[in-house]
Coordinates of all heavy atoms in Angstrom, one line a residue:
A1 N 0.8 -1.2 0.0 CA 0.0 0.0 0.0 C 0.9 1.3 0.0 O 2.0 1.2 0.4 CB -0.9 0.0 1.2
I2 N 0.3 2.4 -0.4 CA 1.0 3.6 -0.4 C 1.4 4.0 1.0 O 0.6 3.8 1.9 CB 0.2 4.8 -1.1 CG1 1.0 6.1 -1.2 CG2 -1.2 5.0 -0.4 CD1 0.3 7.1 -2.1
D3 N 2.5 4.6 1.2 CA 3.0 5.1 2.5 C 2.3 6.4 2.8 O 2.5 7.4 2.1 CB 4.5 5.3 2.4 CG 5.1 5.9 3.7 OD1 4.3 6.0 4.7 OD2 6.3 6.2 3.7
P4 N 1.4 6.4 3.8 CA 0.7 7.7 4.1 C 1.6 8.8 4.6 O 1.3 9.9 4.6 CB -0.3 7.2 5.2 CG 0.2 6.0 5.8 CD 1.1 5.3 4.7
N5 N 2.8 8.4 5.0 CA 3.8 9.4 5.5 C 4.9 9.7 4.4 O 6.0 10.1 4.7 CB 4.5 8.9 6.7 CG 3.6 8.7 7.9 OD1 2.7 9.5 8.1 ND2 3.7 7.5 8.5
F6 N 4.4 9.6 3.1 CA 5.4 9.8 2.0 C 6.0 11.2 2.0 O 7.1 11.4 1.6 CB 4.7 9.6 0.7 CG 3.6 10.6 0.3 CD1 4.0 11.7 -0.4 CD2 2.3 10.4 0.7 CE1 3.0 12.6 -0.7 CE2 1.3 11.3 0.4 CZ 1.7 12.4 -0.3
E7 N 5.3 12.2 2.6 CA 5.8 13.6 2.5 C 7.0 13.7 3.4 O 7.9 14.5 3.2 CB 4.7 14.6 3.0 CG 3.7 14.8 1.9 CD 2.6 15.7 2.4 OE1 2.8 16.9 2.4 OE2 1.5 15.2 2.8
T8 N 7.1 12.9 4.5 CA 8.2 12.8 5.4 C 9.3 11.9 4.9 O 10.5 12.2 4.9 CB 7.8 12.4 6.8 OG1 6.7 13.2 7.2 CG2 8.9 12.5 7.8
N9 N 8.9 10.8 4.4 CA 9.8 9.7 4.0 C 10.4 9.8 2.6 O 11.3 9.0 2.3 CB 9.1 8.3 4.2 CG 8.7 8.1 5.6 OD1 9.3 8.6 6.5 ND2 7.7 7.2 5.8
R10 N 9.8 10.6 1.8 CA 10.3 10.8 0.4 C 10.8 12.2 0.1 O 10.3 13.1 0.8 CB 9.3 10.3 -0.6 CG 9.0 8.8 -0.6 CD 7.9 8.5 -1.6 NE 7.7 7.1 -1.6 CZ 7.7 6.4 -2.8 NH1 7.9 7.0 -3.9 NH2 7.4 5.1 -2.8
E11 N 11.5 12.3 -0.9 CA 11.9 13.7 -1.3 C 11.1 14.1 -2.5 O 10.9 13.3 -3.4 CB 13.4 13.6 -1.7 CG 14.0 15.0 -1.9 CD 15.5 14.9 -2.3 OE1 16.1 13.8 -2.1 OE2 16.0 15.8 -2.9
R12 N 10.7 15.4 -2.4 CA 10.0 15.9 -3.6 C 11.0 16.3 -4.7 O 11.8 17.1 -4.5 CB 9.2 17.2 -3.2 CG 8.3 17.7 -4.3 CD 7.4 18.8 -3.8 NE 6.7 19.4 -4.9 CZ 5.6 20.2 -4.7 NH1 5.1 20.4 -3.5 NH2 5.0 20.7 -5.7
V13 N 10.9 15.6 -5.8 CA 11.9 15.7 -6.8 C 11.5 16.7 -8.0 O 12.3 16.9 -8.9 CB 12.4 14.4 -7.4 CG1 13.0 13.6 -6.3 CG2 11.2 13.6 -8.0
G14 N 10.3 17.1 -7.9 CA 9.8 18.0 -9.0 C 8.3 18.0 -9.2 O 7.6 17.6 -8.3
D15 N 7.9 18.5 -10.3 CA 6.5 18.6 -10.7 C 6.3 18.1 -12.1 O 7.2 18.3 -12.9 CB 6.0 20.0 -10.6 CG 5.8 20.5 -9.1 OD1 6.9 20.7 -8.5 OD2 4.7 20.6 -8.7
E16 N 5.2 17.5 -12.4 CA 4.9 17.1 -13.7 C 3.4 17.4 -14.0 O 2.5 17.0 -13.2 CB 5.1 15.6 -13.9 CG 5.5 15.3 -15.4 CD 6.0 13.8 -15.5 OE1 7.2 13.6 -15.0 OE2 5.3 13.0 -16.0
D17 N 3.1 18.2 -15.0 CA 1.8 18.7 -15.3 C 1.1 19.3 -14.0 O -0.1 19.1 -13.8 CB 0.9 17.5 -15.8 CG 1.5 16.9 -17.0 OD1 2.1 17.6 -17.8 OD2 1.4 15.7 -17.2
G18 N 1.9 20.0 -13.2 CA 1.3 20.7 -12.1 C 1.1 19.8 -10.9 O 0.5 20.2 -9.9
V19 N 1.6 18.6 -11.0 CA 1.4 17.6 -9.9 C 2.8 17.3 -9.3 O 3.7 17.0 -10.0 CB 0.8 16.3 -10.4 CG1 0.6 15.3 -9.3 CG2 -0.6 16.6 -11.0
A20 N 2.9 17.3 -7.9 CA 4.1 17.0 -7.3 C 4.6 15.6 -7.5 O 3.8 14.7 -7.6 CB 4.0 17.3 -5.8
V21 N 5.9 15.5 -7.7 CA 6.5 14.1 -7.9 C 7.4 13.8 -6.7 O 8.3 14.6 -6.4 CB 7.3 14.1 -9.2 CG1 7.9 12.7 -9.3 CG2 6.4 14.4 -10.4
W22 N 7.1 12.7 -6.0 CA 7.9 12.3 -4.8 C 8.7 11.1 -5.2 O 8.2 10.0 -5.6 CB 7.0 12.0 -3.6 CG 6.1 13.1 -3.3 CD1 4.9 13.4 -3.9 CD2 6.3 14.1 -2.3 NE1 4.3 14.5 -3.3 CE2 5.2 15.0 -2.3 CE3 7.3 14.3 -1.3 CZ2 5.1 16.1 -1.4 CZ3 7.2 15.4 -0.5 CH2 6.1 16.3 -0.5
G23 N 10.1 11.2 -5.1 CA 10.9 10.2 -5.6 C 11.0 8.9 -4.7 O 10.3 8.9 -3.7
P24 N 11.8 7.9 -5.1 CA 12.7 8.0 -6.3 C 12.0 7.8 -7.6 O 11.0 7.0 -7.7 CB 13.7 6.8 -6.0 CG 12.9 5.9 -5.2 CD 11.9 6.7 -4.4
V25 N 12.5 8.5 -8.6 CA 12.0 8.3 -10.0 C 13.2 7.8 -10.9 O 14.1 8.5 -11.0 CB 11.4 9.6 -10.6 CG1 11.0 9.4 -12.0 CG2 10.2 10.0 -9.7
E26 N 13.0 6.6 -11.3 CA 14.0 6.0 -12.2 C 13.3 5.2 -13.3 O 13.1 4.0 -13.2 CB 15.0 5.1 -11.5 CG 15.9 5.8 -10.4 CD 16.5 4.8 -9.4 OE1 16.6 3.6 -9.7 OE2 16.8 5.3 -8.3
P27 N 12.8 5.9 -14.3 CA 12.0 5.2 -15.4 C 12.8 4.1 -16.1 O 14.0 4.3 -16.2 CB 11.6 6.3 -16.3 CG 12.0 7.6 -15.6 CD 13.0 7.3 -14.6
P28 N 12.2 3.0 -16.5 CA 10.7 2.9 -16.4 C 10.3 2.2 -15.1 O 9.1 2.2 -14.8 CB 10.4 1.9 -17.6 CG 11.7 1.1 -17.7 CD 12.8 2.0 -17.3
E29 N 11.2 1.6 -14.3 CA 10.7 0.8 -13.2 C 10.2 1.7 -12.0 O 9.2 1.3 -11.4 CB 11.8 -0.1 -12.7 CG 12.3 -1.2 -13.6 CD 13.4 -0.7 -14.5 OE1 13.8 0.5 -14.4 OE2 13.8 -1.5 -15.4
K30 N 10.8 2.8 -11.7 CA 10.4 3.6 -10.6 C 9.8 4.9 -11.0 O 10.5 5.7 -11.7 CB 11.6 3.8 -9.6 CG 12.1 2.5 -9.0 CD 13.1 2.8 -7.9 CE 13.6 1.5 -7.3 NZ 14.8 1.7 -6.5
Q31 N 8.5 5.1 -10.7 CA 7.8 6.3 -11.2 C 7.4 7.2 -10.0 O 6.8 8.3 -10.3 CB 6.5 5.8 -11.9 CG 6.8 5.0 -13.2 CD 7.3 5.9 -14.3 OE1 7.1 7.1 -14.3 NE2 7.8 5.3 -15.4
G32 N 7.7 6.8 -8.8 CA 7.4 7.7 -7.7 C 5.9 7.8 -7.3 O 5.1 7.1 -7.8
I33 N 5.7 8.7 -6.3 CA 4.3 9.0 -5.9 C 4.0 10.4 -6.5 O 4.8 11.3 -6.5 CB 4.2 9.1 -4.3 CG1 4.3 7.7 -3.8 CG2 3.0 9.8 -3.9 CD1 4.3 7.6 -2.2
R34 N 2.8 10.5 -7.0 CA 2.3 11.7 -7.7 C 1.2 12.3 -6.9 O 0.2 11.7 -6.5 CB 1.8 11.4 -9.1 CG 2.8 10.6 -9.9 CD 4.2 11.3 -10.0 NE 5.1 10.4 -10.8 CZ 5.5 10.7 -12.1 NH1 5.0 11.7 -12.7 NH2 6.3 9.9 -12.7
G35 N 1.3 13.7 -6.7 CA 0.2 14.4 -5.9 C 0.6 14.5 -4.5 O 1.5 13.9 -4.0
T36 N -0.2 15.4 -3.8 CA 0.0 15.6 -2.4 C -1.3 15.5 -1.6 O -1.4 14.6 -0.8 CB 0.6 17.0 -2.2 OG1 1.8 17.2 -3.0 CG2 1.0 17.3 -0.7
H37 N -2.2 16.3 -1.8 CA -3.6 16.1 -1.2 C -4.2 14.8 -1.6 O -4.7 14.0 -0.8 CB -4.5 17.3 -1.6 CG -5.8 17.2 -0.9 ND1 -6.2 17.9 0.2 CD2 -6.9 16.5 -1.2 CE1 -7.4 17.6 0.5 NE2 -7.9 16.7 -0.3
V38 N -4.2 14.6 -2.9 CA -4.5 13.2 -3.4 C -3.2 12.6 -4.0 O -2.7 13.2 -5.0 CB -5.6 13.3 -4.5 CG1 -5.9 11.9 -5.1 CG2 -6.8 14.0 -4.0
A39 N -2.7 11.6 -3.4 CA -1.5 11.0 -3.8 C -1.7 9.6 -4.4 O -2.4 8.8 -3.8 CB -0.5 11.0 -2.6
V40 N -1.0 9.3 -5.5 CA -1.1 8.0 -6.1 C 0.4 7.4 -6.2 O 1.2 8.1 -6.8 CB -1.7 8.0 -7.5 CG1 -1.7 6.6 -8.1 CG2 -3.1 8.6 -7.4
D41 N 0.6 6.2 -5.6 CA 1.9 5.6 -5.8 C 1.9 4.9 -7.2 O 1.2 3.8 -7.3 CB 2.1 4.6 -4.7 CG 3.5 4.1 -4.6 OD1 4.1 3.9 -5.7 OD2 4.0 3.8 -3.5
F42 N 2.6 5.5 -8.1 CA 2.6 4.9 -9.5 C 3.2 3.6 -9.5 O 3.0 2.8 -10.5 CB 3.4 5.9 -10.4 CG 2.5 7.0 -11.0 CD1 1.3 7.4 -10.4 CD2 2.9 7.6 -12.2 CE1 0.5 8.4 -11.0 CE2 2.2 8.6 -12.8 CZ 1.0 9.0 -12.2
D43 N 4.1 3.2 -8.6 CA 4.7 1.9 -8.6 C 3.8 0.8 -8.1 O 4.1 -0.4 -8.2 CB 6.0 1.9 -7.8 CG 7.0 2.8 -8.5 OD1 7.1 2.9 -9.7 OD2 7.8 3.5 -7.7
I44 N 2.7 1.2 -7.5 CA 1.7 0.2 -7.0 C 0.5 0.2 -7.9 O -0.1 -0.9 -8.2 CB 1.2 0.6 -5.5 CG1 2.4 0.5 -4.6 CG2 0.1 -0.3 -5.1 CD1 2.1 0.9 -3.2
C45 N 0.1 1.3 -8.5 CA -1.1 1.4 -9.4 C -0.9 0.4 -10.5 O 0.1 0.3 -11.2 CB -1.2 2.8 -10.0 SG -2.4 3.0 -11.3
L46 N -2.0 -0.4 -10.8 CA -1.9 -1.3 -11.9 C -3.0 -1.0 -12.9 O -3.5 -1.9 -13.7 CB -2.0 -2.8 -11.4 CG -2.8 -3.2 -10.3 CD1 -4.3 -3.0 -10.6 CD2 -2.5 -4.6 -9.8
A47 N -3.4 0.2 -13.0 CA -4.3 0.7 -14.0 C -5.7 0.1 -13.9 O -6.4 -0.2 -14.9 CB -3.7 0.6 -15.4
D48 N -6.2 -0.2 -12.7 CA -7.5 -0.8 -12.5 C -8.6 0.2 -13.1 O -9.6 -0.3 -13.7 CB -7.8 -1.0 -11.0 CG -9.2 -1.5 -10.7 OD1 -9.4 -2.7 -10.8 OD2 -10.0 -0.7 -10.5
G49 N -8.4 1.5 -12.8 CA -9.4 2.4 -13.4 C -10.6 2.8 -12.5 O -11.3 3.7 -12.9
A50 N -10.8 2.1 -11.4 CA -11.9 2.4 -10.6 C -11.9 3.8 -10.1 O -13.0 4.5 -10.0 CB -12.0 1.4 -9.4
C51 N -10.7 4.4 -9.8 CA -10.7 5.7 -9.3 C -11.2 6.7 -10.4 O -11.9 7.7 -10.0 CB -9.3 6.1 -8.8 SG -8.0 5.9 -10.1
L52 N -10.8 6.5 -11.6 CA -11.2 7.4 -12.7 C -12.7 7.3 -12.9 O -13.4 8.3 -13.1 CB -10.5 7.1 -14.0 CG -9.2 7.7 -14.3 CD1 -8.1 6.7 -13.8 CD2 -9.0 8.1 -15.7
E53 N -13.3 6.1 -12.8 CA -14.7 5.9 -13.0 C -15.5 6.5 -11.8 O -16.6 7.1 -12.0 CB -15.0 4.4 -13.0 CG -14.7 3.8 -14.4 CD -14.8 2.3 -14.3 OE1 -15.7 1.8 -13.6 OE2 -14.1 1.6 -15.1
D54 N -15.0 6.4 -10.6 CA -15.8 6.7 -9.4 C -15.7 8.1 -8.9 O -16.5 8.6 -8.2 CB -15.6 5.7 -8.3 CG -16.1 4.3 -8.7 OD1 -16.7 4.2 -9.8 OD2 -16.0 3.4 -7.9
C55 N -14.6 8.8 -9.1 CA -14.4 10.1 -8.5 C -15.4 11.0 -9.0 O -15.6 11.3 -10.2 CB -13.0 10.6 -8.9 SG -12.7 12.3 -8.2
P56 N -16.2 11.6 -8.1 CA -17.3 12.5 -8.6 C -16.9 13.8 -9.2 O -17.7 14.4 -9.9 CB -18.1 12.7 -7.3 CG -17.1 12.5 -6.2 CD -16.1 11.5 -6.7
V57 N -15.7 14.2 -9.0 CA -15.2 15.5 -9.6 C -14.0 15.3 -10.5 O -13.3 16.3 -10.9 CB -14.8 16.4 -8.4 CG1 -16.1 16.9 -7.7 CG2 -13.8 15.8 -7.5
D58 N -13.8 14.1 -11.0 CA -12.9 13.8 -12.1 C -11.5 14.3 -11.8 O -10.8 15.0 -12.6 CB -13.3 14.3 -13.4 CG -14.6 13.6 -13.9 OD1 -14.8 12.4 -13.6 OD2 -15.4 14.2 -14.6
V59 N -11.0 13.9 -10.6 CA -9.6 14.4 -10.2 C -8.5 13.7 -11.1 O -7.5 14.3 -11.4 CB -9.4 14.0 -8.7 CG1 -7.9 14.0 -8.4 CG2 -10.1 15.1 -7.9
F60 N -8.8 12.4 -11.5 CA -7.8 11.6 -12.1 C -7.8 11.7 -13.6 O -8.9 11.7 -14.2 CB -7.9 10.2 -11.7 CG -7.9 10.0 -10.2 CD1 -9.1 9.9 -9.5 CD2 -6.7 9.9 -9.5 CE1 -9.1 9.8 -8.1 CE2 -6.7 9.8 -8.1 CZ -7.9 9.7 -7.4
E61 N -6.6 11.5 -14.2 CA -6.6 11.3 -15.7 C -5.4 10.3 -15.9 O -4.4 10.3 -15.2 CB -6.4 12.6 -16.5 CG -5.2 13.4 -16.2 CD -5.2 14.7 -16.9 OE1 -6.2 15.4 -17.0 OE2 -4.1 15.1 -17.4
W62 N -5.5 9.6 -17.0 CA -4.4 8.6 -17.4 C -3.2 9.3 -17.8 O -3.2 10.3 -18.5 CB -4.9 7.7 -18.5 CG -6.0 6.7 -18.1 CD1 -7.2 6.6 -18.7 CD2 -5.9 5.7 -17.1 NE1 -7.9 5.6 -18.1 CE2 -7.1 5.0 -17.1 CE3 -4.9 5.3 -16.2 CZ2 -7.4 3.9 -16.3 CZ3 -5.2 4.2 -15.4 CH2 -6.4 3.6 -15.4
T63 N -2.0 8.8 -17.3 CA -0.7 9.2 -17.8 C 0.0 7.9 -18.2 O 0.0 6.9 -17.5 CB 0.1 9.8 -16.6 OG1 -0.6 11.1 -16.3 CG2 1.5 10.1 -17.0
D64 N 0.7 8.0 -19.4 CA 1.4 6.8 -19.9 C 2.7 6.6 -19.1 O 3.5 7.6 -18.9 CB 1.7 7.0 -21.4 CG 0.4 6.9 -22.2 OD1 -0.5 6.2 -21.8 OD2 0.3 7.5 -23.2
T65 N 3.0 5.4 -18.8 CA 4.2 5.0 -18.2 C 4.8 3.7 -18.9 O 4.7 2.6 -18.3 CB 4.1 4.7 -16.7 OG1 3.0 3.7 -16.5 CG2 3.7 5.9 -15.9
P66 N 5.3 3.9 -20.1 CA 5.7 2.8 -20.9 C 6.7 1.9 -20.2 O 7.6 2.4 -19.6 CB 6.3 3.4 -22.1 CG 5.9 4.9 -22.1 CD 5.5 5.2 -20.7
D67 N 6.5 0.6 -20.3 CA 7.5 -0.4 -19.7 C 7.5 -0.5 -18.2 O 8.4 -1.1 -17.7 CB 8.9 -0.2 -20.3 CG 8.9 -0.3 -21.8 OD1 8.2 -1.2 -22.3 OD2 9.6 0.5 -22.5
H68 N 6.6 0.2 -17.5 CA 6.5 0.0 -16.1 C 6.0 -1.4 -15.8 O 5.1 -1.9 -16.5 CB 5.6 1.0 -15.4 CG 5.7 0.9 -13.9 ND1 4.9 0.1 -13.2 CD2 6.5 1.5 -13.0 CE1 5.2 0.2 -11.9 NE2 6.2 1.1 -11.8
P69 N 6.7 -2.1 -14.9 CA 6.3 -3.5 -14.6 C 4.9 -3.8 -14.3 O 4.3 -4.8 -14.6 CB 7.3 -4.0 -13.5 CG 8.1 -2.8 -13.1 CD 7.9 -1.7 -14.1
E70 N 4.2 -2.9 -13.6 CA 2.8 -3.1 -13.2 C 1.8 -2.8 -14.3 O 0.8 -3.5 -14.4 CB 2.5 -2.3 -11.9 CG 3.2 -2.8 -10.6 CD 2.8 -4.2 -10.2 OE1 1.7 -4.7 -10.6 OE2 3.6 -4.8 -9.5
S71 N 2.0 -1.6 -14.9 CA 1.1 -1.2 -15.9 C 1.6 -0.1 -16.8 O 2.5 0.7 -16.3 CB -0.3 -0.7 -15.3 OG 0.0 0.3 -14.4
E72 N 1.2 0.1 -18.0 CA 1.7 1.1 -18.9 C 1.0 2.4 -18.8 O 1.2 3.3 -19.6 CB 1.8 0.5 -20.3 CG 2.6 -0.8 -20.4 CD 3.4 -0.9 -21.6 OE1 2.9 -0.5 -22.7 OE2 4.6 -1.3 -21.6
R73 N 0.0 2.5 -17.9 CA -0.6 3.8 -17.6 C -1.0 3.9 -16.2 O -1.2 2.8 -15.5 CB -1.8 4.1 -18.6 CG -2.9 3.1 -18.4 CD -4.0 3.5 -19.4 NE -5.2 2.7 -19.2 CZ -6.4 2.9 -19.7 NH1 -6.6 4.0 -20.5 NH2 -7.4 2.1 -19.5
K74 N -1.1 5.1 -15.7 CA -1.3 5.3 -14.3 C -2.4 6.4 -14.1 O -2.5 7.3 -14.9 CB 0.0 5.8 -13.6 CG 1.2 4.9 -13.8 CD 1.1 3.5 -13.1 CE 2.3 2.7 -13.4 NZ 2.1 1.3 -12.8
A75 N -3.0 6.4 -12.9 CA -4.0 7.4 -12.6 C -3.3 8.6 -12.0 O -2.9 8.6 -10.8 CB -5.0 6.8 -11.6
N76 N -3.2 9.7 -12.7 CA -2.5 10.9 -12.3 C -3.6 11.8 -11.6 O -4.6 12.1 -12.2 CB -1.9 11.6 -13.5 CG -0.9 12.7 -13.0 OD1 -0.2 12.5 -12.0 ND2 -0.9 13.7 -13.8
P77 N -3.3 12.2 -10.4 CA -4.3 13.1 -9.7 C -4.2 14.6 -10.2 O -3.9 15.5 -9.4 CB -4.0 13.0 -8.2 CG -2.5 12.7 -8.2 CD -2.2 11.9 -9.5
A78 N -4.4 14.8 -11.5 CA -4.1 16.0 -12.1 C -4.9 17.2 -11.6 O -4.5 18.3 -11.5 CB -4.4 15.9 -13.6
D79 N -6.2 16.9 -11.1 CA -7.1 18.0 -10.6 C -7.3 17.7 -9.1 O -8.4 17.9 -8.6 CB -8.4 18.0 -11.4 CG -8.2 18.6 -12.8 OD1 -7.4 19.6 -12.9 OD2 -8.8 18.1 -13.7
E80 N -6.2 17.5 -8.4 CA -6.4 17.2 -6.9 C -7.0 18.4 -6.2 O -7.6 18.2 -5.1 CB -5.0 16.7 -6.3 CG -3.9 17.8 -6.4 CD -2.6 17.3 -5.8 OE1 -2.7 16.4 -4.9 OE2 -1.6 17.8 -6.1
D81 N -6.8 19.6 -6.7 CA -7.4 20.7 -6.1 C -8.9 20.7 -6.0 O -9.5 21.3 -5.2 CB -7.0 22.0 -6.8 CG -5.5 22.3 -6.7 OD1 -4.8 21.6 -5.9 OD2 -5.0 23.2 -7.3
Q82 N -9.5 19.9 -6.9 CA -11.0 19.7 -6.9 C -11.5 18.7 -5.9 O -12.7 18.6 -5.7 CB -11.4 19.3 -8.3 CG -11.0 20.3 -9.4 CD -11.6 21.6 -9.2 OE1 -12.8 21.8 -9.0 NE2 -10.8 22.7 -9.3
C83 N -10.6 18.0 -5.3 CA -11.0 16.9 -4.4 C -12.0 17.3 -3.3 O -11.7 18.4 -2.6 CB -9.8 16.2 -3.8 SG -10.1 14.9 -2.6
I84 N -13.0 16.6 -3.0 CA -14.0 16.9 -2.0 C -13.9 15.9 -0.8 O -14.8 15.8 0.0 CB -15.4 17.0 -2.5 CG1 -15.8 15.6 -3.2 CG2 -15.6 18.1 -3.5 CD1 -17.3 15.5 -3.6
D85 N -12.8 15.2 -0.8 CA -12.5 14.3 0.3 C -13.6 13.2 0.6 O -13.9 12.9 1.8 CB -12.3 15.1 1.6 CG -11.1 16.0 1.5 OD1 -10.1 15.7 0.8 OD2 -11.1 17.1 2.1
C86 N -14.2 12.7 -0.5 CA -15.3 11.7 -0.3 C -14.7 10.3 0.0 O -15.4 9.5 0.5 CB -16.1 11.6 -1.5 SG -15.3 10.9 -2.9
M87 N -13.4 10.1 -0.3 CA -12.7 8.9 0.0 C -13.1 7.7 -0.8 O -12.6 6.6 -0.6 CB -12.8 8.5 1.5 CG -12.2 9.5 2.4 SD -10.4 9.7 2.1 CE -10.0 11.1 3.1
L88 N -13.9 7.9 -1.8 CA -14.3 6.8 -2.7 C -13.1 6.2 -3.4 O -13.0 4.9 -3.4 CB -15.3 7.3 -3.8 CG -16.7 7.1 -3.6 CD1 -17.5 7.7 -4.8 CD2 -17.0 5.6 -3.5
C89 N -12.2 7.0 -3.9 CA -11.1 6.4 -4.6 C -10.2 5.5 -3.7 O -9.8 4.5 -4.1 CB -10.2 7.5 -5.2 SG -9.6 8.7 -4.0
V90 N -10.0 6.0 -2.5 CA -9.3 5.2 -1.5 C -9.9 3.8 -1.3 O -9.3 2.8 -1.2 CB -9.1 6.0 -0.2 CG1 -8.5 5.1 0.9 CG2 -8.3 7.2 -0.4
D91 N -11.3 3.9 -1.2 CA -12.0 2.6 -0.9 C -12.0 1.7 -2.1 O -12.0 0.5 -1.9 CB -13.5 3.0 -0.6 CG -13.6 3.7 0.8 OD1 -12.6 3.6 1.6 OD2 -14.6 4.3 1.0
V92 N -12.1 2.2 -3.3 CA -12.2 1.3 -4.5 C -10.9 0.8 -5.1 O -10.9 -0.2 -5.8 CB -13.1 2.0 -5.6 CG1 -14.5 2.2 -5.1 CG2 -12.4 3.2 -6.2
C93 N -9.8 1.5 -4.8 CA -8.6 1.0 -5.4 C -8.2 -0.4 -4.9 O -8.0 -0.5 -3.7 CB -7.4 2.0 -5.2 SG -5.8 1.4 -5.8
P94 N -8.1 -1.4 -5.7 CA -7.8 -2.8 -5.3 C -6.5 -3.0 -4.7 O -6.3 -4.0 -4.0 CB -8.0 -3.6 -6.5 CG -7.7 -2.7 -7.7 CD -8.2 -1.3 -7.2
V95 N -5.5 -2.1 -4.9 CA -4.2 -2.3 -4.4 C -3.7 -1.2 -3.5 O -2.5 -1.1 -3.2 CB -3.2 -2.4 -5.6 CG1 -3.4 -3.7 -6.3 CG2 -3.3 -1.3 -6.6
D96 N -4.7 -0.4 -3.0 CA -4.4 0.7 -2.0 C -3.2 1.6 -2.5 O -2.3 1.9 -1.7 CB -4.0 0.1 -0.6 CG -5.2 -0.6 0.0 OD1 -6.4 -0.1 -0.3 OD2 -5.0 -1.5 0.8
A97 N -3.4 2.0 -3.7 CA -2.3 2.9 -4.3 C -2.6 4.4 -4.0 O -1.7 5.2 -4.3 CB -2.2 2.7 -5.8
I98 N -3.7 4.7 -3.4 CA -4.1 6.1 -3.2 C -4.2 6.5 -1.8 O -4.7 5.8 -0.9 CB -5.5 6.4 -3.9 CG1 -5.5 5.9 -5.3 CG2 -5.9 7.9 -3.8 CD1 -6.9 5.9 -6.0
D99 N -3.7 7.7 -1.5 CA -3.8 8.3 -0.1 C -4.4 9.7 -0.3 O -4.0 10.5 -1.1 CB -2.4 8.4 0.5 CG -2.5 9.0 1.9 OD1 -3.1 8.4 2.8 OD2 -2.0 10.2 2.1
V100 N -5.5 9.9 0.4 CA -6.2 11.2 0.4 C -6.0 11.8 1.9 O -6.4 11.1 2.8 CB -7.6 11.2 0.0 CG1 -8.3 12.6 0.1 CG2 -7.7 10.7 -1.4
D101 N -5.5 13.0 2.0 CA -5.3 13.6 3.3 C -6.1 14.8 3.4 O -5.8 15.9 2.8 CB -3.8 14.0 3.4 CG -3.5 14.6 4.7 OD1 -4.4 14.7 5.6 OD2 -2.4 15.1 5.0
P102 N -7.3 14.7 4.1 CA -8.2 15.8 4.1 C -7.7 17.0 5.0 O -8.4 18.0 5.0 CB -9.5 15.2 4.8 CG -9.2 13.7 4.8 CD -7.8 13.5 4.8
G103 N -6.5 16.9 5.6 CA -6.0 17.9 6.5 C -6.0 19.3 5.9 O -6.4 19.7 4.9
Ligands
SF4_1 FE1 -12.2 12.1 -6.0 FE2 -13.3 11.6 -3.6 FE3 -10.9 10.6 -4.3 FE4 -11.1 13.2 -3.8 S1 -11.5 11.5 -2.3 S2 -10.0 12.2 -5.5 S3 -13.2 13.6 -4.6 S4 -12.8 10.1 -5.3
F3S2 FE1 -4.6 2.7 -10.2 FE2 -6.0 2.0 -8.1 FE3 -6.9 3.9 -9.8 S1 -4.9 0.6 -9.4 S2 -6.0 3.3 -11.7 S3 -5.0 4.0 -8.5 S4 -8.1 2.4 -8.8

């Protein structure tokens, strides 16, 4: 599962499409955690898609991650600012790749 303390345990290595990237990032195998309020561990996400289907405010969009061992696309929390903290995505992700911090 995603580490809920990633902000402490990982280093912010940059931004991509306005979304924070928490390392390590070593493509194609290591893609890091993306987002802060809504965070997705790209190395755990296997492109199930439930988060994209169920989020009521369409926070997520697909991002391609060619040759990543789990899946070749990931749910990027591109519109995390729109999140209403309903926690649906956290509940539906089959591999617990998502952390939402309502703080
Ligand atoms: Fe969308 Fe709810 Fe998840 Fe926020 S907590 S990203 S609103 S599904
Ligand atoms: Fe990935 Fe989980 Fe969404 S596997 S696509 S973060 S439901």
Side-chain angles (χ1 to χ4, degrees):
I2 186 171
D3 174 8
N5 298 315
F6 67 90
E7 287 175 79
T8 307
N9 296 335
R10 290 179 177 234
E11 189 181 342
R12 185 170 175 165
V13 295
D15 287 73
E16 208 169 288
D17 303 324
V19 177
V21 180
W22 305 83
V25 176
E26 295 162 22
E29 293 89 0
K30 292 188 181 168
Q31 296 283 345
I33 287 176
R34 310 302 178 103
T36 304
H37 180 100
V38 180
V40 178
D41 191 326
F42 271 22
D43 294 324
I44 297 176
C45 174
L46 38 66
D48 177 85
C51 57
L52 276 94
E53 284 171 29
D54 289 0
C55 177
V57 291
D58 294 332
V59 161
F60 304 96
E61 61 183 41
W62 290 119
T63 294
D64 290 330
T65 55
D67 299 323
H68 187 271
E70 291 296 340
S71 58
E72 300 217 323
R73 61 180 186 169
K74 307 292 179 182
N76 192 37
D79 287 321
E80 62 180 335
D81 293 352
Q82 300 299 311
C83 176
I84 57 171
D85 300 326
C86 71
M87 296 298 169
L88 257 179
C89 58
V90 173
D91 291 342
V92 297
C93 177
V95 287
D96 292 331
I98 307 173
D99 180 66
V100 175
D101 182 5

